[in-house]
Amino acid sequence: MFSQLWQNILEWLQNLFFQQEMELTILGLQNAGKTTLVNLISTGDFTDDRIPTVGFNMRRVQKGGVTLKMWDLGGQARFRTMWERYCRGVSAVVFVIDAADYDRFDTARLELQDILSRRALDGIPVLVLANKSDLPGAVKDIDEIINTFGLTEINNHEVSVYSISAKNRVNIDVTLQWLIDHGSKKTSASTAAAVVNPALHNSQQSTPAQSASAAPTTSTETPPSTS
Amino acid sequence: MAMVSDERALAKYKDEDMIMSPLLYLVGQGDRLTPEEATEVFFSVTKLFQANQPSLRRLVYLAIKELAHTAEEVIIVTNCLTKDINSDVDMYRANATRVLCKITDAQMVQQIERYLKQEIVDKNPVVASAALVSGQQLIMHNKGDVVRRWVNEVTQALDHKSPMVQYHALALLYLIKQHDRLAVSKLVQSMCQQGARSPMATVLLVRYVARILSEEVTEGTEYKDMPFFGFLEHCLRHRSDIVMYEAARAIALLPNVSPAELQPAVSVLQRFLVQSRPAVRFAAIRTLSMIASSMPLAVTSCNADMEVLISDPNRSIATLAITTLLRTGSENSIERLLKQIQNFLCEISDEFKVKIVVAIHALCIKYPSKYYALMNFLGNALREEGGYEFKRAIVEAYLGLMNKIPESKETCLSHLCEFIEDCEHAQLSTRVLHLLGKEGPHMPEPGKYIRYIYNRLILENAVVRAAAVSALASFAAESASESLRKSVAILLRQSLMDSDDEVRDRAVFFSQKLGLEAYQKKATAPPGPEEVAELQEDTKQGMNIPCPVPNLEVELTRYLSSGIFDTPFDMTKVSKAALVTSKDSEVSARNESLFGDSTGPDAGLGVSAKAQVDLAEEVMATPEFSSFGRPFKSCPPKDLTEAETEYTAKVIVHLYEAHVILEFICVNTLNDQLLEDVFIQVDTSDVSGLGGMTIVPAPRLAYGEPSRSYVCIDRTEVDEYPLGQLACTMKFSVKDMDPTTGEADEEGYEDEYGLDDLELDVATLMAKPGELPSSFKSAWEALGPDNEVADSFMLEQHDSISSAVTAVMDLLGMTACDGTDNVNDRARGHILLLTGVFVPGVQVMVHAKFVLTSECVALELVLRSELHAVSELLANSISGSD
């Protein structure tokens, strides 16, 4: 009983001084690589897991003083109606795309636009990840992705795009950095004011995706960071 | 439901237990959440999977389990639960298993099967039990196809060192094998030898053994000779109470168990009667009371102990003790018992009072000589406080007694008269008044009832007043006494000015019909005795509508709703046969359970008559046959298949003057098939008098939805009666269907399915008359001896009068008059009076005399009907069957 109490006090102190918590929701069509990405972030290992997620996975990871709580939702059609419930009030939404699956680009675009058009999610920053850049024929050009998925038309959200490969760990570090930045920013921003003038922000990739030292630019509010 | 608005606070999972506990409490208390609320709460709860505290997680499991039925999209937690099943915390594993099996569907089960199998053989008893119980749940909810493959794992779990796991494993193993009689027998045998560690498992074993025994017993064998019976007897000496009780109960419930076999069980129960725990006493007395209903003698040894229980602080135990004693007690202890019941009658609830009334009624029939004391008891009970059900039970008991014990009639009537003086239930008052009108005029002193009826006329509401007017009028109609007629006339005079239309109408109608106006006006001379006799006859005719009232009602409703009034309503077309409705059979079943000798302690309660369902409704609504009108008779549905087959079919036979329509109600029990164009091919070659056929197929027979298909067979001659076997085959085209999506294949193939033969016998063609003749004798005389057929038979396969009587009634399908179907068990001779209506409306009456000889029952049969051919046919049917 007492130790429990002590534990709680400790936790509270930790939260006060050291830690920021952020909640993330990871969306995308089935087989886009959501669960694989989450596993990669939390364990650092790439696992080629082919079991579809029925429902959702919940993961907690600590990265750079931020605790990430990740809701990894199933991408099958029957779960898509439930996405919104897990997006309300999160720090950021991550939308994962299979960059080599041309046939379903349209579906993915519609789902993305649909979920972002919900009023309840207004203002939540969105990170679009074009995964599987290692596959031959995968779309790696950021502009092409922006156009294909109509990202310029989204105006209630701050939107960023990376081309990544979970398998080869390309751009995973910048992705994490983006998440951590937004985690700390969200908590600090919440004391100030809501995002007043949300604008489109896309990160341009200067070097080919294969190179691990990509230097993406991000929003105006966060200065461009290089790793 | 203020809780629901608070549920958002769940998202901040700090005070979760404080919110979840009351929420679960509400759901547990039976407060229903709407699906929207439940879904909302459910999704909030799922967010708590982020926390990792065991106590909170347990609440999450409970909440999901409770919400699983009402909330939508519960499948979303599948992944989380699967993860928990694979965690290393045993509590998580066990609970997640139970919850997952609750929310999953048949397809998903296959994906988690691997984990469940592992868990069954897990060392931890909680985990193993959870998986076993989940397996049972899956089977019971028809998701358990995979479970049947677990036999090896479950058998292994049977040897688990925890008694709980053994118990659950046995239950699951039985569920898996339950349809394989041999496998069950083997399982039970090995378990009996090896002995179960847990008393609960032993209880299960006792139940299985009892089931095997009652299935396997054949006539002539004693249970004692069967190997499994020894196990039951052994269990009677078990050290655990529940096992002893279960074994005693199992023995008591075996069909046709002999008194010697029953004795040890009864003595175990007797020992339980003096136990300190009320639950044990209740169980024992309840079982004893059940035994007493069929074998009162076996229980008499417990009488002394049961008498002590009458003063038991638990009223349920006391009531059961009383009702049991009423059955087992000897004739001379009745008065003493009655006195004791009287003392506590006011303390118990209506439900128990009804039980006591039923028991008393049964007792009256058993000891007719004691009816006076018992009647007085019932009379006192009538004066007690009590609800409608209680009063109704007493009135029903009186009605039953009047039929069975004629000498009690007068006492009955005077008790009932007193009752309506202060009765708050109009329904019961009208019933009693009708009875008074029917019976009163034939009593030695009709005058004394008139006072009671008249009091109703002044004091009661319109419904009762109307009934009272009718009752009074029937005195005038039945009685020959001039002075009585005059007093009735005077009494009715005031009702002529009644404020209620119905009362006034009735008063005017009867006054005119019976020639009572003369007395009322006093101006003209009253009609002479001859005129009176004529008027009375007239009225009786007038009151006797030529067809049963319910039939008339149904036909009139049909006429009015058809909207076609070109032809006037023809009363002669209304069927004279009693409408066979499902209510009908239910009511009779209920009466039997209420008043039959086999009355169990709780039989007959809670049986509520369902809404009246007209069997002929569907066929009359079918466009092809609507022009036929109402059938002469519709037989109750008859199964043409076993209960658990791929397709089941029932048939309702509708008889018309010129047709026989067979209404087949088919059910497809395979969820992966869709049947189309379903029809029944009927082979009429063995049956004479049947001609052309019209078939109306059922266009579609989807899984679990009954569909009707019809076969209409023309009858060639009115006097050629269709008797014999009809071979039936169901023909259809099958389309395979995906049970989950409900999509059927494009292509189907033809197939057929054999059904049982449908037998058309004499009883099929015989209908129940709408109204029984008030006196068999006068109806018999009226029918006359013109078409009389007399014959005598030796019924060799019967060794008692009662079985012979039942057989003859079943064979002819006729209804007994004047209560002659009640046969005294020890009677050496009996006279049975039957009446019925043979297709298409021929009245038939039978006078049958049974005499018990040394080897068999001799039957002298006299048949009268309106058609000689019918009399012949019926007499032949008896000799044919013998």
Side-chain angles (χ1 to χ4, degrees):
Chain A
M1 196 55 206
F2 184 73
S3 67
Q4 176 85 42
L5 195 68
W6 184 240
Q7 186 79 39
N8 284 350
I9 292 172
L10 258 183
E11 245 174 53
W12 177 68
L13 281 176
Q14 269 182 346
N15 277 330
L16 207 61
F17 293 114
F18 308 111
Q19 285 220 294
Q20 300 296 346
E21 243 190 7
M22 83 175 287
E23 240 180 297
L24 288 177
T25 307
I26 294 138
L27 307 175
L29 303 188
Q30 67 264 42
N31 200 27
K34 297 177 294 299
T35 308
T36 312
L37 180 69
V38 169
N39 284 343
L40 183 67
I41 291 175
S42 52
T43 63
D45 293 329
F46 172 80
T47 44
D48 197 4
D49 187 0
R50 292 185 179 278
I51 302 168
T53 306
V54 182
F56 65 88
N57 274 314
M58 167 67 212
R59 289 283 191 147
R60 288 167 80 95
V61 205
Q62 282 201 16
K63 289 280 168 183
V66 178
T67 304
L68 294 176
K69 287 197 285 179
M70 292 181 283
W71 300 99
D72 162 29
L73 296 179
Q76 291 166 28
R78 60 173 163 165
F79 299 121
R80 291 179 201 158
T81 51
M82 292 174 251
W83 283 355
E84 190 197 345
R85 292 176 181 277
Y86 293 91
C87 290
R88 287 179 211 150
V90 294
S91 321
V93 169
V94 178
F95 196 93
V96 184
I97 297 164
D98 180 348
D101 190 358
Y102 296 98
D103 294 343
R104 292 197 301 165
F105 278 179
D106 256 356
T107 323
R109 180 173 53 84
L110 290 173
E111 290 295 343
L112 178 65
Q113 283 170 350
D114 182 50
I115 189 79
L116 293 185
S117 65
R118 310 287 169 91
R119 307 303 305 174
L121 311 186
D122 272 5
I124 296 177
V126 178
L127 176 61
V128 177
L129 295 176
N131 193 15
K132 308 198 187 178
S133 63
D134 52 286
L135 289 180
V139 180
K140 291 175 219 162
D141 181 32
I142 294 300
D143 283 328
E144 195 180 337
I145 294 170
I146 292 174
N147 289 334
T148 319
F149 290 92
L151 300 184
T152 42
E153 294 152 32
I154 300 166
N155 38 30
N156 294 338
H157 299 268
E158 173 197 336
V159 182
S160 310
V161 189
Y162 288 119
S163 164
I164 64 161
S165 163
K167 187 174 182 182
N168 295 341
R169 306 192 191 184
V170 175
N171 278 350
I172 298 302
D173 43 1
V174 289
T175 304
L176 263 176
Q177 194 55 51
W178 186 95
L179 293 176
I180 292 165
D181 289 348
H182 279 75
S184 18
K185 190 176 68 70
K186 157 100 195 209
T187 36
S188 57
S190 63
T191 54
V195 182
V196 186
N197 203 2
L200 172 76
H201 307 278
N202 39 7
S203 57
Q204 288 291 350
Q205 185 135 357
S206 50
T207 42
Q210 274 82 2
S211 86
S213 59
T217 61
T218 49
S219 65
T220 47
E221 285 150 63
T222 7
S225 60
T226 42
S227 51
Chain B
M1 284 288 99
M3 287 308 308
V4 178
S5 50
D6 293 349
E7 129 291 307
R8 275 168 223 287
L10 283 170
K12 304 185 294 168
Y13 67 98
K14 291 297 176 205
D15 345 316
E16 58 297 307
D17 328 18
M18 273 149 70
I19 293 168
M20 296 262 278
S21 307
L23 183 80
L24 285 173
Y25 176 75
L26 279 179
V27 175
Q29 287 292 300
D31 267 331
R32 286 276 152 258
L33 298 171
T34 65
E36 293 80 40
E37 287 169 345
T39 311
E40 198 65 26
V41 176
F42 171 76
F43 276 99
S44 308
V45 168
T46 60
K47 299 213 172 143
L48 293 175
F49 268 108
Q50 59 184 290
N52 215 3
Q53 297 151 319
S55 63
L56 176 58
R57 186 61 65 86
R58 185 156 55 198
L59 281 175
V60 169
Y61 292 135
L62 280 173
I64 294 176
K65 196 165 77 73
E66 291 301 328
L67 295 169
H69 285 307
T70 30
E72 289 150 14
E73 316 279 14
V74 285
I75 202 101
I76 190 104
V77 286
T78 307
N79 217 68
C80 295
L81 292 173
T82 319
K83 212 168 91 191
D84 282 350
I85 286 184
N86 290 313
S87 80
D88 43 8
V89 184
D90 285 336
M91 194 275 284
Y92 284 7
R93 293 172 68 197
N95 289 333
T97 309
R98 287 172 187 254
V99 178
L100 186 54
C101 288
K102 183 124 184 164
I103 62 162
T104 194
D105 55 29
Q107 264 179 313
M108 207 67 85
V109 175
Q110 291 178 342
Q111 295 176 20
I112 56 169
E113 184 190 1
R114 185 160 55 96
Y115 309 123
L116 292 174
K117 271 168 126 173
Q118 274 167 15
E119 286 187 332
I120 288 177
V121 290
D122 198 275
K123 276 201 300 295
N124 185 310
V126 181
V127 174
S129 272
L132 290 165
V133 171
S134 301
Q136 292 175 35
Q137 288 290 326
L138 289 175
I139 290 189
M140 283 176 207
H141 292 98
N142 287 327
K143 298 187 276 196
D145 287 342
V146 290
V147 181
R148 298 184 202 288
R149 299 199 293 258
W150 301 351
V151 175
N152 284 338
E153 285 80 5
V154 182
T155 316
Q156 207 177 325
L158 215 49
D159 299 326
H160 199 282
K161 60 179 186 300
S162 156
M164 172 176 71
V165 177
Q166 190 187 40
Y167 165 52
H168 289 141
L170 179 62
L172 180 57
L173 206 53
Y174 178 77
L175 267 186
I176 294 175
K177 296 182 170 179
Q178 61 183 345
H179 296 302
D180 181 354
R181 199 180 276 192
L182 198 68
V184 170
S185 179
K186 258 189 185 156
L187 166 70
V188 172
Q189 198 155 23
S190 73
M191 279 306 284
C192 286
Q193 277 161 6
Q194 168 189 349
R197 270 189 301 279
S198 127
M200 300 296 265
T202 318
V203 164
L204 278 185
L205 215 48
V206 167
R207 291 193 182 160
Y208 301 153
V209 163
R211 206 165 303 166
I212 294 175
L213 280 174
S214 51
E215 273 169 14
E216 285 185 354
V217 72
T218 49
E219 207 151 316
T221 47
E222 300 240 331
Y223 286 108
K224 276 199 169 132
D225 307 332
M226 295 170 73
F228 280 132
F229 191 74
F231 175 73
L232 290 187
E233 285 189 315
H234 176 74
C235 285
L236 284 177
R237 295 186 294 277
H238 200 273
R239 62 198 137 72
S240 157
D241 271 1
I242 47 172
V243 176
M244 284 165 78
Y245 170 69
E246 195 63 39
R249 183 169 174 272
I251 293 179
L253 282 180
L254 289 174
N256 302 325
V257 67
S258 77
E261 288 154 348
L262 195 56
Q263 196 43 51
V266 171
S267 52
V268 165
L269 293 172
Q270 187 172 8
R271 259 179 285 147
F272 281 173
L273 287 180
V274 291
Q275 283 249 2
S276 57
R277 279 186 303 159
V280 179
R281 291 201 305 274
F282 179 75
I285 188 71
R286 188 155 183 267
T287 311
L288 284 173
S289 135
M290 200 175 58
I291 302 174
S293 64
S294 55
M295 306 174 86
L297 280 180
V299 188
T300 40
S301 56
C302 311
N303 277 1
D305 292 311
M306 289 195 286
E307 281 189 34
V308 176
L309 287 186
I310 295 178
S311 49
D312 196 287
N314 183 321
R315 291 288 97 183
S316 311
I317 297 178
T319 313
L320 278 169
I322 283 278
T323 44
T324 316
L325 278 170
L326 286 176
R327 288 210 188 88
T328 60
S330 59
E331 202 163 345
N332 42 32
S333 65
I334 288 178
E335 269 105 350
R336 195 163 42 87
L337 275 176
L338 286 180
K339 216 171 264 165
Q340 273 175 304
I341 303 172
Q342 205 107 57
N343 290 336
F344 81 91
L345 196 62
C346 47
E347 297 166 28
I348 57 178
S349 70
D350 269 15
E351 196 187 347
F352 287 129
K353 286 183 188 169
V354 171
K355 280 185 189 178
I356 290 183
V357 168
V358 170
I360 300 249
H361 177 222
L363 199 63
C364 272
I365 291 167
K366 194 164 140 204
Y367 298 123
S369 58
K370 288 283 171 199
Y371 82 88
Y372 196 77
L374 292 165
M375 289 248 159
N376 277 338
F377 174 81
L378 287 180
N380 288 335
L382 262 183
R383 281 194 286 274
E384 295 277 333
E385 289 291 308
Y388 170 69
E389 280 300 320
F390 172 51
K391 295 288 158 86
R392 195 189 62 115
I394 301 181
V395 171
E396 299 248 3
Y398 271 125
L399 293 181
L401 290 177
M402 284 173 62
N403 285 340
K404 300 262 164 119
I405 312 171
E407 59 266 34
S408 72
K409 239 178 209 174
E410 203 171 340
T411 336
C412 275
L413 286 181
S414 62
H415 280 301
L416 288 173
C417 279
E418 221 166 283
F419 169 58
I420 55 170
E421 286 285 355
D422 181 24
C423 169
E424 58 209 77
H425 310 288
Q427 253 171 311
L428 292 178
S429 290
T430 48
R431 208 159 156 188
V432 172
L433 282 170
H434 175 76
L435 181 78
L436 284 177
K438 213 170 92 188
E439 302 287 348
H442 306 292
M443 287 288 126
E445 285 176 75
K448 76 174 177 193
Y449 302 108
I450 291 188
R451 180 174 63 88
Y452 291 103
I453 301 175
Y454 181 63
N455 283 348
R456 297 304 98 214
L457 215 49
I458 334 177
L459 297 171
E460 290 281 1
N461 59 19
V463 181
V464 181
R465 284 205 307 273
V469 166
S470 301
L472 269 184
S474 81
F475 274 87
E478 299 280 342
S479 168
S481 145
E482 170 75 14
S483 63
L484 191 74
R485 283 172 54 77
K486 192 171 165 194
S487 14
V488 169
I490 292 164
L491 293 178
L492 277 182
R493 193 162 54 189
Q494 96 175 58
S495 297
L496 291 173
M497 269 105 55
D498 197 283
S499 59
D500 184 80
D501 288 353
E502 174 71 22
V503 180
R504 213 167 45 241
D505 284 355
R506 284 196 192 192
V508 170
F509 171 77
F510 287 118
S511 297
Q512 289 190 345
K513 265 293 187 189
L514 293 165
L516 298 176
E517 286 159 316
Y519 299 109
Q520 284 158 356
K521 284 181 192 143
K522 288 182 186 167
T524 48
E530 276 165 37
E531 270 175 275
V532 169
E534 203 172 295
L535 279 169
Q536 283 181 340
E537 196 48 44
D538 227 36
T539 320
K540 276 190 214 163
Q541 292 293 332
M543 285 162 86
N544 276 349
I545 301 163
C547 47
V549 178
N551 295 15
L552 186 62
E553 186 189 339
V554 170
E555 290 301 322
L556 277 172
T557 323
R558 242 165 64 83
Y559 180 73
L560 288 177
S561 60
S562 72
I564 308 159
F565 303 117
D566 302 341
T567 50
F569 183 76
D570 185 358
M571 218 196 281
T572 56
K573 278 199 178 157
V574 179
S575 164
K576 286 194 182 88
L579 281 180
V580 181
T581 59
S582 51
K583 187 188 175 188
D584 225 31
S585 48
E586 193 143 331
V587 167
S588 65
R590 170 149 145 252
N591 284 344
E592 239 156 60
S593 67
L594 264 177
F595 297 122
D597 290 334
S598 62
T599 318
D602 37 44
L605 292 172
V607 183
S608 60
K610 284 194 193 135
Q612 183 154 337
V613 179
D614 185 356
L615 285 173
E617 199 173 337
E618 288 287 337
V619 74
M620 288 197 299
T622 312
E624 285 86 346
F625 308 125
S626 56
S627 62
F628 290 4
R630 172 166 284 281
F632 160 72
K633 180 194 177 188
S634 299
C635 303
K638 197 165 148 190
D639 288 323
L640 292 182
T641 52
E642 303 279 324
E644 287 174 19
T645 48
E646 297 98 304
Y647 318 109
T648 62
K650 268 191 240 181
V651 65
I652 303 177
V653 181
H654 302 281
L655 291 166
Y656 293 84
E657 194 160 348
H659 314 273
V660 178
I661 294 185
L662 308 177
E663 176 180 348
F664 294 95
I665 306 166
C666 308
V667 181
N668 170 14
T669 62
L670 300 177
N671 64 355
D672 56 353
Q673 285 193 356
L674 174 70
L675 308 189
E676 291 187 341
D677 277 326
V678 184
F679 66 94
I680 316 288
Q681 190 178 8
V682 180
D683 178 9
T684 58
S685 55
D686 286 349
V687 181
S688 58
L690 291 180
M693 241 186 278
T694 322
I695 292 175
V696 180
R700 200 181 129 83
L701 186 55
Y703 164 63
E705 294 167 19
S707 270
R708 288 159 202 272
S709 117
Y710 297 92
V711 175
C712 171
I713 313 173
D714 297 337
R715 289 179 56 191
T716 47
E717 305 270 348
V718 177
D719 49 1
E720 181 100 36
Y721 297 101
L723 293 172
Q725 304 265 348
L726 295 172
C728 303
T729 316
M730 184 164 141
K731 300 210 165 183
F732 44 82
S733 91
V734 192
K735 286 184 178 172
D736 288 332
M737 194 175 76
D738 184 340
T740 47
T741 61
E743 282 166 21
D745 286 358
E746 294 279 303
E747 287 294 304
Y749 52 91
E750 302 291 317
D751 201 354
E752 58 177 54
Y753 187 77
L755 304 178
D756 294 350
D757 285 355
L758 169 65
E759 171 144 18
L760 295 178
D761 52 12
V762 177
T764 317
L765 304 183
M766 183 75 74
K768 207 175 138 189
E771 283 164 341
L772 291 178
S774 51
S775 143
F776 180 85
K777 199 169 168 223
S778 55
W780 177 259
E781 296 300 334
L783 206 49
D786 299 345
N787 300 314
E788 186 174 292
V789 172
D791 209 341
S792 57
F793 308 93
M794 299 302 271
L795 307 177
E796 277 160 13
Q797 65 277 58
H798 296 286
D799 53 3
S800 80
I801 298 277
S802 54
S803 75
V805 166
T806 319
V808 168
M809 282 176 64
D810 285 348
L811 183 70
L812 294 176
M814 296 172 75
T815 316
C817 292
D818 302 356
T820 50
D821 50 340
N822 295 307
V823 187
N824 192 329
D825 280 345
R826 284 165 301 221
R828 310 282 307 162
H830 185 76
I831 288 180
L832 176 67
L833 307 172
L834 296 174
T835 177
V837 183
F838 201 69
V839 66
V842 182
Q843 201 192 357
V844 187
M845 302 190 91
V846 169
H847 182 283
K849 188 174 167 197
F850 296 84
V851 178
L852 189 65
T853 64
S854 52
E855 288 112 30
C856 62
V857 178
L859 165 65
E860 273 177 44
L861 192 73
V862 186
L863 266 158
R864 284 185 183 182
S865 78
E866 292 168 342
L867 269 180
H868 194 71
V870 172
S871 307
E872 291 266 341
L873 181 79
L874 292 178
N876 288 341
S877 74
I878 291 195
S879 53
S881 78
D882 199 50

